[in-house]
Amino acid sequence: MMTTASEGRPQSKFSTLSIVYSGMFAALMMIGANITSFIPFLVVGGVPITLQTFFAVLSGLLLGSRLGALSMTVYMMVGLAGAPVFAKFQGGFGQILSPTFGFIVTFILIAYVAGKIVERKNTLPSYIIASLVATAINYLLGTNWMYVAYKVWAAAPEVFTYKIAWLWMIPPLPKDIVLAVLAGIFAFRISKHLKVRHSF
């Protein structure tokens, strides 16, 4: 029995569309990290409404676990290479010593986790749950990294405690919960129109 050329060759892990989407989400992360520089009124009560976690979760929901994690890895590596893509337009390998660098590392993990959850079950509740779980992981690992960094190498004052580290995270929490739910709803509605998840 004859086979077509496409059937006889293994499917490429990377399609052109996959690479485009990966680069797009890396660019969106840069915008999300510095969105208050473009839209100043998004600072509410002194708390900047950044969209990094939103876009990291969205990358996993829309691109799938592996490609979503890849896009976040690209974002991190571009920043470490010196491009000003991190918050406050910072970049460079020295950022790895920043107490908040743990949040950047977790973006890779949460994109993967969010993608894995919706790959197993493609329903609206699954998308919302995936977003909330990913956001919780971002807070848990990022905050603990920040605390350890301040205590070990960032020379935090003696009054800085584990409780204070978590108190710092309370102001952006409501915003991130709302954005997580919105990310789940948005991704579910448009995921059926994206075929990129099947190309990687």
Side-chain angles (χ1 to χ4, degrees), residues 98-114:
S98 168
T100 58
F101 186 73
F103 290 100
I104 296 174
V105 174
T106 65
F107 293 149
I108 301 171
L109 177 60
I110 67 176
Y112 183 83
V113 170

Side-chain angles (χ1 to χ4, degrees), residues 184-197:
I185 296 172
F186 175 74
F188 176 74
R189 289 184 175 180
I190 70 171
S191 61
K192 62 184 67 178
H193 302 294
L194 296 178
K195 304 302 181 183
V196 65
R197 180 178 295 157

Side-chain angles (χ1 to χ4, degrees), residues 1-199:
M1 183 175 65
M2 296 181 62
T3 59
T4 64
S6 61
E7 292 172 333
R9 292 195 307 265
Q11 187 178 18
S12 173
K13 286 186 176 182
F14 296 95
S15 70
T16 301
L17 190 59
S18 297
I19 295 172
V20 169
Y21 278 126
S22 181
M24 180 187 73
F25 270 97
L28 286 173
M29 287 295 289
M30 184 276 289
I31 296 172
N34 297 284
I35 194 167
T36 54
S37 298
F38 308 112
I39 312 176
F41 64 80
L42 287 180
V43 179
V44 179
V47 178
I49 302 179
T50 61
L51 298 176
Q52 285 176 291
T53 305
F54 173 81
F55 285 129
V57 172
L58 203 60
S59 71
L61 296 178
L62 294 178
L63 304 185
S65 56
R66 291 178 292 178
L67 189 57
L70 175 64
S71 66
M72 295 300 99
T73 302
V74 169
Y75 168 71
M76 182 181 73
M77 297 307 294
V78 167
L80 291 178
V85 297
F86 297 150
K88 299 180 181 178
F89 294 103
Q90 295 181 340
F93 192 75
Q95 290 300 307
I96 201 170
L97 296 177
S98 168
T100 58
F101 186 73
F103 290 100
I104 296 174
V105 174
T106 65
F107 293 149
I108 301 171
L109 177 60
I110 67 176
Y112 183 83
V113 170
K116 271 297 181 185
I117 292 174
V118 297
E119 284 166 1
R120 292 171 182 267
K121 194 170 185 180
N122 187 21
T123 64
L124 178 57
S126 294
Y127 273 78
I128 295 175
I129 290 171
S131 299
L132 292 172
V133 168
T135 300
I137 292 173
N138 178 248
Y139 268 70
L140 180 63
L141 298 184
T143 304
N144 279 281
W145 181 305
M146 179 179 67
Y147 172 74
V148 172
Y150 271 120
K151 299 300 278 188
V152 176
W153 66 80
E158 290 295 327
V159 294
F160 181 75
T161 64
Y162 190 63
K163 180 179 179 180
I164 289 176
W166 278 103
L167 287 174
W168 285 357
M169 301 306 299
I170 290 177
L173 180 59
K175 172 263 296 183
D176 284 331
I177 292 175
V178 171
L179 288 177
V181 174
L182 292 177
I185 296 172
F186 175 74
F188 176 74
R189 289 184 175 180
I190 70 171
S191 61
K192 62 184 67 178
H193 302 294
L194 296 178
K195 304 302 181 183
V196 65
R197 180 178 295 157
H198 303 292
S199 63

